[in-house]
Amino acid sequence: MAGQDQQFKITEAFITSDRFLEKEIEVSTNIYEIVIYEDLEAAWLSGSVVITDSTGFMNKIQFKGSEYLTIRLAGAEENSEPIIDKTFLLYQLVKNVKANDASSTYLFNMIELHAFESAMKPFSRAYKGSIEKIISQILNGELKKTVDLSYLTNGVTAQGERRYVVPYLTPLEACETLVDRGTTTLGSPLFLYSSIHDENIRLGDLDRMLTQEAFNKSVPYIYSQSATQSASSLDQSLASTQILGIDLKSNVNAMNQVEEGVLGSFYTNTDVSTGVSYRARVSFKETFANLQKNEIIDPSDKQDVYDVDQLVDGESLDTYNSIYWHQVSSSNLYLDYKSYHDDNTNSEFALKVKNTILRQTLLSNMISIVVPGIAFLFAKATVGDILSMNMLSPIDDPNEIYDEKLSGDYLVYRTKHVFRETTHNITCDITKISQATGQTS
């Protein structure tokens, strides 16, 4: 039976290598710590593992950076099925510390196999189809990976059919280029990412992500300094909802928003084939209003990105164009198909800038929290999901229990899973672009 404080168990862990002739070296009892990173902007998982050795088996392996570590983790309950089943390449020995003549501790960096294989395979090939179709063809054909399109709004992107020639990029680099080009019809960005919960690579968009219900809506995470300090003495169900740490230092960067053209910018594209120039002004205010109009964001929410009352020379910040974008393209290069940069209207070209604005908005409005991993594993939550949290108000007012600005629903952008001994904690970079009015949940 699992101990009361045990949050996970390693059901199986073993090292293999192509040179071992199918021999498996069991290391489940030798693992002290596993760290796994998920990132909305990375189509692979990475991490590290600490392995102890008191019998000398690591010397027999003679580490070369070509070893594979398979890890299967489950909940602490007896006979529970594995929740995480992943194989990583141990590509770097970071540190080897000898405790004594017979005992050593090894720290390895690790990465999913398809990321390593991609780096080995720069290629050039022409594709025809929608952005999501081309991404699926590249990843399946070059890396034997399946792309899950269920996280796309209506399963499609807004750019339609195109012809794309991969100019000797690796498969993942080619897909990143396509992801940067693709948007929804509202200009929201795409994300190609990997999850600890399956072997697929997921292709999703911000619109779909923001319309999800929080995975912990019924029991939000809560931050209270007094409760956090006594979390170890709380019932496990209560302790699992406590925010163990919070970092607000990167919450707002107004200068970065201006420098990146988030609040307002102007885009021009000159088509050298026709001599026609397409022009579009894009502002965060307009983009946000369009998301509300289409019910991606609740119409009653207010934007949480910049101060609408701040003025420069008597004018609101969103009336300025802090960046002028200019691109040159050549239409009809492939006759029946658009090329990578082709579009036909000002509004279609404007999607490029909206994509950039929303990406930068997410990055500049980030905070970091540390939470127990139980709820994440139970709900199979990952990056791209919505997390609900409440922070107690610093104001002693019975009518304002929670901090209105910091409480609410957030998009999980990055995670750092730390499995150490019996505990599993997650550092989450979370972000949002709107604030619910009258937040009381």
Side-chain angles (χ1 to χ4, degrees):
M1 181 177 295
Q4 184 177 357
D5 297 329
Q6 187 172 353
Q7 298 175 359
F8 75 97
K9 60 184 177 184
I10 301 175
T11 61
E12 198 171 9
F14 54 86
I15 295 174
T16 59
S17 175
D18 294 335
R19 69 179 188 277
F20 290 169
L21 300 178
E22 300 183 357
K23 181 181 178 182
E24 297 179 356
I25 299 175
E26 174 64 33
V27 293
S28 58
T29 59
N30 300 88
I31 292 180
Y32 172 72
E33 178 186 80
I34 302 168
V35 176
I36 301 176
Y37 296 95
E38 300 172 296
D39 192 329
L40 264 184
E41 297 189 38
W44 61 89
L45 302 178
S46 60
S48 62
V49 61
V50 176
I51 298 176
T52 61
D53 177 17
S54 58
T55 62
F57 71 89
M58 290 301 299
N59 284 333
K60 296 178 182 177
I61 290 177
Q62 295 185 349
F63 177 78
K64 298 181 182 298
S66 59
E67 292 75 18
Y68 310 118
L69 173 66
T70 297
I71 304 169
R72 297 188 177 112
L73 303 177
E77 298 79 12
E78 191 173 353
N79 299 322
S80 57
E81 292 294 320
I83 299 174
I84 299 174
D85 185 348
K86 287 286 183 179
T87 297
F88 295 90
L89 174 69
L90 301 177
Y91 69 91
Q92 181 185 22
L93 173 59
V94 180
K95 188 181 295 186
N96 174 10
V97 178
K98 293 186 70 66
N100 51 52
D101 290 342
S103 179
S104 296
T105 301
Y106 298 82
L107 171 62
F108 296 96
N109 280 338
M110 60 187 189
I111 196 168
E112 281 195 287
L113 302 184
H114 65 271
F116 181 79
E117 292 170 1
S118 176
M120 300 287 291
K121 296 180 177 181
F123 74 111
S124 180
R125 187 169 297 119
Y127 292 89
K128 292 186 293 186
S130 63
I131 285 177
E132 65 274 12
K133 180 180 178 181
I134 296 173
I135 289 174
S136 296
Q137 289 176 337
I138 291 174
L139 292 179
N140 184 261
E142 301 298 324
L143 300 178
K144 304 297 185 292
K145 298 295 291 185
T146 299
V147 179
D148 186 347
L149 302 179
S150 66
Y151 300 90
L152 281 178
T153 302
N154 300 321
V156 296
T157 53
Q159 282 61 43
E161 301 267 307
R162 293 178 180 265
R163 186 174 176 87
Y164 176 60
V165 178
V166 180
Y168 279 104
L169 300 174
T170 68
L172 288 176
E173 287 173 340
C175 291
E176 288 168 5
T177 302
L178 290 164
V179 166
D180 288 342
R181 182 64 180 90
T183 69
T184 67
T185 55
L186 301 178
S188 294
L190 307 182
F191 298 96
L192 190 68
Y193 59 102
S194 185
S195 167
I196 63 172
H197 296 297
D198 57 48
E199 289 299 310
N200 299 328
I201 295 179
R202 303 181 182 188
L203 180 61
D205 63 63
L206 184 62
D207 291 351
R208 179 66 181 271
M209 294 172 184
L210 293 181
T211 54
Q212 297 175 105
E213 190 173 85
F215 73 83
N216 64 331
K217 181 180 179 180
S218 59
V219 188
Y221 288 111
I222 187 167
Y223 182 71
S224 164
Q225 285 189 333
S226 58
T228 298
Q229 291 168 0
S230 59
S232 60
S233 63
L234 294 175
D235 175 84
Q236 188 177 55
S237 61
L238 292 176
S240 66
T241 67
Q242 299 300 309
I243 296 176
L244 305 176
I246 188 164
D247 185 354
L248 305 175
K249 66 181 180 181
S250 60
N251 189 28
V252 175
N253 188 334
M255 192 66 188
N256 183 70
Q257 292 171 352
V258 172
E259 292 175 339
E260 297 294 337
V262 169
L263 305 185
S265 54
F266 197 89
Y267 177 83
T268 304
N269 182 282
T270 301
D271 186 337
V272 295
S273 295
T274 63
V276 175
S277 289
Y278 297 90
R279 297 177 176 85
R281 184 184 188 276
V282 181
S283 69
F284 177 79
K285 181 179 180 180
E286 174 207 4
T287 304
F288 184 83
N290 208 18
L291 292 174
Q292 288 184 310
K293 180 181 177 181
N294 288 272
E295 299 184 342
I296 304 301
I297 295 173
D298 192 305
S300 66
D301 285 5
K302 57 184 179 181
Q303 64 86 12
D304 195 31
V305 175
Y306 71 101
D307 184 354
V308 295
D309 296 319
Q310 185 178 3
L311 303 177
V312 173
D313 292 336
E315 300 289 340
S316 176
L317 301 183
D318 58 68
T319 63
Y320 288 89
N321 298 321
S322 60
I323 285 187
Y324 284 81
W325 309 88
H326 185 256
Q327 285 187 324
V328 176
S329 63
S330 179
S331 63
N332 299 318
L333 184 63
Y334 301 120
L335 300 178
D336 293 338
Y337 286 88
K338 291 180 180 179
S339 65
Y340 180 84
H341 287 293
D342 275 1
D343 276 313
N344 297 324
T345 66
N346 291 338
S347 59
E348 288 177 352
F349 278 109
L351 296 179
K352 294 181 179 181
V353 184
K354 292 179 180 180
N355 180 355
T356 300
I357 283 177
L358 288 171
R359 283 185 184 275
Q360 290 299 326
T361 298
L362 293 172
L363 293 173
S364 64
N365 217 26
M366 198 95 65
I367 66 175
S368 182
I369 62 173
V370 181
V371 296
I374 295 175
F376 264 80
L377 288 188
F378 180 78
K380 293 192 173 181
T382 184
V383 290
D385 287 334
I386 299 297
L387 172 153
S388 183
M389 66 172 257
N390 289 324
M391 177 175 287
L392 294 183
S393 173
I395 302 172
D396 187 13
D397 183 349
N399 296 318
E400 191 174 334
I401 300 175
Y402 298 117
D403 187 310
E404 185 176 286
K405 179 175 174 60
L406 293 175
S407 299
D409 290 347
Y410 286 81
L411 174 68
V412 182
Y413 206 90
R414 301 186 188 96
T415 65
K416 175 186 177 183
H417 295 260
V418 179
F419 302 88
R420 181 182 299 143
E421 296 183 320
T422 62
T423 63
H424 171 210
N425 291 330
I426 307 175
T427 300
C428 304
D429 288 344
I430 58 177
T431 184
K432 62 177 180 174
I433 61 177
S434 67
Q435 175 184 319
T437 55
Q439 173 73 37
T440 59
S441 63

